[in-house]
Amino acid sequence: MEMNVEKTKVMKILRQPTPVTIKIDQKQLENVKCFKYLGSLLTDDGRRTCEIKSRIATAKAAFSKKNLFTSKLDLNLRKKLVKCYVWSITLYGAETWTLRAVDQKHLESFKMWCWRRMETISWTDYVRNEEVLIRVGEQRNILHEIRKWKANWIGHVLCRNCLLKEVIEGKIEGWIEVTRRRGRRRKKMLDDLGDRRAYSHLKEKALDRIKWRNCFGRDCGPVV
């Protein structure tokens, strides 16, 4: 196998990352703190905050390029355009995110930004978010949609035995140094599903393919 030393990067994902020493032909590979892989931004702290901020910035640029969102078209049509062209950019790969409170706040703020811009409501107008939601006929459901996508995606993973299934359930064998650190324990992917009972219920249905198709078909997603 041939490797390009100039293009190959190394990143160690850890709570407190340290440089990794890997040499090829006596040349040290460059250590980086973040890089893009398959369209997603990976960082050395294992969090998704930078990825979410990058997605939101790209979606805002796409929103500004389209005059259809602020035109005199029917409100329902404009909402469908926003969800199709803007939210699809923001929520790309959202089913694999582990959302913290600050990440949820960013997503909720971006959703309100879209509705305010669509209705040409300036922040100097002092219009409350509840009033904006009433005008556009929407609710705060973006986090609920992400949980539905995550439950649907995890259900498909559970239908077959693979390495990803073992990673999600935390069954990888190995030795982990246990130290008492200050602060809260980091959230896991399954924590966004609500509780372990929701995951157990989802896993039970996923093992039965017929039951899975009846409960979680194309027309409706799982509600957790």
Side-chain angles (χ1 to χ4, degrees):
M1 181 178 65
E2 296 182 358
M3 298 180 61
N4 190 325
V5 181
E6 303 297 332
K7 296 182 179 180
T8 304
K9 312 296 180 182
V10 180
M11 185 180 70
K12 185 177 182 180
I13 300 178
L14 198 65
R15 184 182 294 269
Q16 296 178 349
T18 55
V20 181
T21 302
I22 299 179
K23 293 184 178 181
I24 299 178
D25 293 336
Q26 304 302 322
K27 294 182 180 180
Q28 170 67 34
L29 297 182
E30 180 184 357
N31 284 263
V32 295
K33 294 185 177 181
C34 64
F35 71 93
K36 274 199 171 185
Y37 178 72
L38 298 178
S40 298
L41 185 63
L42 305 179
T43 56
D44 57 358
D45 58 358
R47 302 188 186 277
R48 289 295 186 176
T49 304
C50 294
E51 165 72 3
I52 293 173
K53 289 183 177 180
S54 176
R55 290 283 171 193
I56 290 176
T58 305
K60 285 185 175 181
F63 186 98
S64 301
K65 291 181 180 179
K66 299 289 185 179
N67 296 327
L68 295 175
F69 305 139
T70 56
S71 63
K72 295 183 179 180
L73 293 176
D74 181 70
L75 176 61
N76 292 328
L77 179 58
R78 284 184 290 153
K79 289 195 300 183
K80 290 181 180 179
L81 290 173
V82 169
K83 294 177 182 180
C84 178
Y85 291 105
V86 179
W87 287 9
S88 59
I89 298 175
T90 311
L91 302 180
Y92 175 81
E95 57 269 15
T96 62
W97 292 350
T98 301
L99 298 176
R100 300 185 299 156
V102 62
D103 302 328
Q104 296 177 7
K105 184 178 179 180
H106 288 323
L107 292 172
E108 290 285 1
S109 300
F110 170 71
K111 181 180 179 180
M112 295 307 306
W113 181 89
C114 290
W115 299 143
R116 287 178 177 271
R117 289 293 296 268
M118 192 178 68
E119 292 296 305
T120 62
I121 300 175
S122 175
W123 64 273
T124 57
D125 296 335
Y126 298 103
V127 179
R128 297 177 61 86
N129 289 337
E130 289 73 15
E131 176 65 23
V132 176
L133 293 174
I134 293 175
R135 292 186 186 183
V136 298
E138 288 289 335
Q139 298 178 353
R140 298 177 180 267
N141 58 353
I142 187 170
L143 299 179
H144 180 67
E145 291 294 328
I146 293 177
R147 293 189 185 99
K148 285 170 55 179
W149 296 356
K150 178 171 293 188
N152 204 344
W153 175 73
I154 290 179
H156 285 292
V157 174
L158 297 178
C159 290
R160 54 195 180 92
N161 294 323
C162 59
L163 178 61
L164 184 57
K165 177 181 177 181
E166 298 181 2
V167 171
I168 291 177
E169 295 183 342
K171 293 183 178 180
I172 301 298
E173 297 182 359
W175 180 82
I176 301 177
E177 181 182 0
V178 180
T179 57
R180 300 183 64 181
R181 300 186 179 93
R182 297 182 59 185
R184 293 182 178 181
R185 185 177 181 180
R186 283 200 172 186
K187 289 187 64 177
K188 298 180 180 179
M189 180 180 294
L190 297 180
D191 294 339
D192 288 334
L193 294 181
D195 53 19
R196 296 295 299 183
R197 289 180 301 174
Y199 175 72
S200 301
H201 181 67
L202 181 68
K203 183 176 181 179
E204 179 183 354
K205 291 184 178 297
L207 297 178
D208 189 340
R209 188 175 296 272
I210 298 178
K211 184 183 296 185
W212 172 262
R213 289 178 178 177
N214 294 333
C215 297
F216 309 112
R218 294 183 178 180
D219 298 334
C220 59
V223 179
V224 180

